[in-house]
Amino acid sequence: MAAVAVATRWWLLLVLSAAELGVARALQPPNILLLLMDDMGWGDLGVYGEPSRETPNLDRMAVEGMLFPNFYTANPLCSPSRAALLTGRLPIRSGFYTTNGHARNAYTPQEIVGGIPDSELLLPALLKGAGYASKIVGKWHLGHRPQFHPLKHGFDEWFGSPNCHFGPYDNKARPNIPVYRDQEMVGRFYEEFPINLKTGEANLTQIYLQEALEFIQRQQAAHRPFFLYWAVDATHAPIYASKPFLGTSQRGRYGDAIRELDDSVGRILRLLRDLSIAENTFVFFTSDNGAALISAPRQGGSNGPFLCGKQTTFEGGMREPAIAWWPGHIPAGQVSHQLGSIMDLFTTSLSLAGLEPPRDRAIDGLDLLPAMLQGRLTDRPIFYYRGNTLMAVTLGQYKAHFWTWTNSWEEFKQGIDFCPGQNVSGVTTHSQEEHTKLPLIFHLGRDPGERFPLSVASIEYLDALRRITPVVQQHQEALVPGQPQLNVCNRAVMVSGLYVDCGGSPGLRVC
């Protein structure tokens, strides 16, 4: 594989350089730090054009590293996208979807029975083969039951929650969501970890920051390579920030949360420099899905020029902010037009560690090292799934929609709008519209907002369709869906003090 060859050449250069300098201690592979935001939109950073320019640290990270303007999630909802990141596989392969409805999104609420299957190989488990210590800080979202927790799937440490900070609940019909340190529950949101919904005040981002800083310092002192997955959720409604940041943004409370996250990233990168490990630490910043326009503008962000947001497979729901930073290796101030995916972080991380992806399963992630280190672009498709349905595909500059819809008329009439102020006739439909025979095709370079489909009679349309059709056919013919994990819910599995197994208990229902 070309990607493995790039990583191998890079590793050999480091070894030869160390030998020439007479370095006695064996070189270790680079540390890997993945910064995953929650519901943060493509247009939320200054470097992507946000007019308030309130993200100086992330903007500087982009100046010192590489910006990916064409970077995508694998699903427009949080649980499936996180499964994709840690497995390098489309969620439909790992079972992170539902068959309860056509093209229906699904995630892992408290009462979900399923979770990440034991058969899936997660990134931290594989990195152990290269001696990495690993920690997740923040939101897991791959299952609530103990067998699905991070330490059962390769992580050495965890501080955070299996879910988002929804609530507060009455602790009768539904408990408040638990927070864990490793395998021990240490409290719950709105109780030991308070969130003031009225003012938006919460110290969670500061707690998550300290967890990250302490882990980095500890691993550096032990001279051990580390993998840190910092999955914070302040930009997911209900939005929160700590007191020093509240009221400081031109954008309101959502902007306050952004400013605190930006400050936290700055402190993490500063620590790497202070410890003299910046040049041996690969850092990647992105988001799990597009901004939740349903909550905007007070509780949601910006997807820039793109159509719609979270929950949809239009660009606003799938295209993410993305910055790679690795001083001394990734050339500073570069923009890569490589089509990237959140699944690429799996394959790229393995390549950095000198490991190859598993060969006994389909891996969808691409190694981004050729793009980052050599500026080489790889032609590849981006598949847009919503639940069990392939909704669209992008190949080069062309995106073909096989199905379109936002949400149902029933939801829309209740005020639930995934595309507020963005009605595009025949595109942002409230019924599921099939276009498999004649896809809607857009040129994303000229029309990033997906407002002007190509004429089906044009030569451009026919040429694009001719390229896209065999790619989609090959993908669908080879696809083997995993056993769906997000079909069944049961309130008996919720953590309400003691764990209660759902086997044979009443209350089973479709999620």
Side-chain angles (χ1 to χ4, degrees):
M1 294 171 61
V4 173
V6 170
T8 302
R9 285 197 299 272
W10 164 78
W11 184 253
L12 285 173
L13 284 172
L14 282 185
V15 172
L16 290 171
S17 299
E20 290 171 0
L21 293 171
V23 177
R25 185 167 57 85
L27 284 168
Q28 64 184 35
N31 308 308
I32 299 167
L33 210 170
L34 303 184
L35 308 173
L36 185 71
M37 303 300 105
D38 200 339
D39 290 5
M40 185 181 286
W42 191 94
D44 277 330
L45 307 186
V47 71
Y48 281 101
E50 201 289 313
S52 299
R53 294 295 194 272
E54 293 180 340
T55 53
N57 293 292
L58 286 163
D59 297 348
R60 187 181 307 116
M61 181 182 177
V63 169
E64 295 172 353
M66 181 174 284
L67 194 71
F68 285 83
N70 305 318
F71 194 85
Y72 291 86
T73 186
N75 189 276
L77 202 61
C78 34
S79 292
S81 70
R82 292 160 194 265
L85 186 159
L86 292 174
T87 64
R89 287 153 56 81
L90 287 163
I92 196 166
R93 298 193 200 274
S94 64
F96 259 66
Y97 68 100
T98 180
T99 56
N100 291 337
H102 180 262
R104 177 180 171 183
N105 289 319
Y107 74 111
T108 55
Q110 286 195 76
E111 60 268 37
I112 196 74
V113 172
I116 193 70
D118 287 340
S119 58
E120 291 299 316
L121 295 174
L122 272 60
L123 180 57
L126 294 170
L127 289 175
K128 285 184 186 296
Y132 280 75
S134 61
K135 179 166 185 166
I136 170 176
V137 176
K139 178 175 169 181
W140 172 237
H141 227 19
L142 300 187
H144 275 259
R145 299 166 70 192
Q147 65 264 41
F148 301 126
H149 283 187
L151 270 62
K152 297 290 188 179
H153 292 273
F155 280 100
D156 297 312
E157 301 179 25
W158 177 30
F159 181 86
S161 174
N163 206 325
C164 197
H165 53 281
F166 297 120
Y169 301 115
D170 60 10
N171 278 328
K172 296 176 183 177
R174 181 179 296 272
N176 281 317
I177 292 169
V179 175
Y180 288 85
R181 180 173 296 284
D182 300 333
Q183 296 176 335
E184 178 185 359
M185 190 177 78
V186 294
R188 297 178 185 273
F189 292 134
Y190 301 96
E191 297 176 23
E192 292 82 0
F193 298 92
I195 303 169
N196 187 319
L197 293 183
K198 183 176 180 180
T199 65
E201 183 178 351
N203 288 324
L204 289 169
T205 298
Q206 292 303 309
I207 295 171
Y208 293 152
L209 172 62
Q210 292 306 315
E211 289 288 328
L213 299 177
E214 187 275 335
F215 178 74
I216 292 169
Q217 291 170 319
R218 186 156 37 89
Q219 301 313 317
Q220 189 273 338
H223 302 293
R224 186 177 180 187
F226 64 81
F227 167 50
L228 175 59
Y229 175 41
W230 199 61
V232 290
D233 68 351
T235 45
H236 188 298
I239 305 300
Y240 63 78
S242 63
K243 191 170 184 178
F245 290 90
L246 285 173
T248 64
S249 171
Q250 298 295 312
R251 303 178 64 190
R253 189 179 299 175
Y254 183 86
D256 296 340
I258 292 276
R259 293 197 69 230
E260 184 168 17
L261 292 170
D262 175 78
D263 180 78
S264 297
V265 171
R267 291 181 61 183
I268 289 171
L269 298 185
R270 188 159 56 249
L271 176 63
L272 296 176
R273 289 195 181 93
D274 291 344
L275 295 176
S276 300
I277 59 173
E279 292 192 356
N280 198 41
T281 304
F282 171 80
V283 184
F284 201 96
F285 174 95
T286 190
S287 179
D288 62 346
N289 46 248
L293 300 187
I294 186 175
S295 306
R298 294 182 182 274
Q299 297 274 323
S302 167
N303 294 316
F306 302 120
L307 186 62
C308 300
K310 178 181 179 178
Q311 299 261 15
T312 79
T313 49
F314 299 109
E315 291 295 286
M318 297 285 289
R319 200 185 296 210
E320 310 307 325
I323 305 169
W325 185 87
W326 190 15
H329 301 278
I330 295 175
Q334 299 299 303
V335 176
S336 175
H337 292 285
Q338 173 67 54
L339 285 183
S341 166
I342 202 168
M343 297 178 289
D344 299 343
L345 300 179
F346 173 90
T347 310
T348 304
S349 296
L350 292 179
S351 186
L352 287 165
L355 302 171
E356 291 193 16
R359 295 183 176 180
D360 63 344
R361 63 199 63 207
I363 299 294
D364 299 293
L366 179 74
D367 185 353
L368 292 177
L369 285 181
M372 293 188 291
L373 303 183
Q374 300 177 325
R376 281 183 19 218
L377 303 185
T378 301
D379 192 28
R380 58 92 68 92
I382 296 291
F383 296 110
Y384 302 66
Y385 272 87
R386 184 165 172 171
N388 61 353
T389 304
L390 178 63
M391 303 288 287
V393 64
T394 286
L395 189 63
Q397 294 272 43
Y398 294 96
K399 180 177 181 181
H401 287 269
F402 308 113
W403 291 87
T404 55
W405 80 303
T406 56
N407 60 330
S408 68
W409 278 113
E410 290 76 16
E411 290 179 334
F412 183 70
K413 290 173 182 177
Q414 295 170 14
I416 300 172
D417 190 355
F418 295 160
C419 313
Q422 292 186 306
N423 179 54
V424 180
S425 180
V427 178
T428 55
T429 57
H430 291 289
S431 56
Q432 295 188 20
E433 300 295 333
E434 184 176 4
H435 310 281
T436 53
K437 288 185 169 44
L438 282 177
L440 296 180
I441 299 181
F442 299 87
H443 187 286
L444 293 178
R446 299 192 302 263
D447 180 23
E450 299 171 277
R451 288 168 171 79
F452 308 103
L454 302 180
S455 168
V456 296
S458 68
I459 294 175
E460 184 179 15
Y461 179 93
L462 296 173
D463 285 345
L465 186 62
R466 194 175 297 116
R467 285 190 62 213
I468 289 170
T469 299
V471 172
V472 172
Q473 287 178 342
Q474 182 181 8
H475 168 70
Q476 292 181 318
E477 289 170 2
L479 180 69
V480 179
Q483 184 70 26
Q485 296 294 310
L486 308 182
N487 278 353
V488 181
C489 287
N490 186 349
R491 288 196 172 189
V493 307
M494 294 190 292
V495 180
S496 55
L498 292 174
Y499 172 71
V500 181
D501 190 83
C502 70
S505 60
L508 286 172
R509 62 178 179 85
V510 297
C511 293

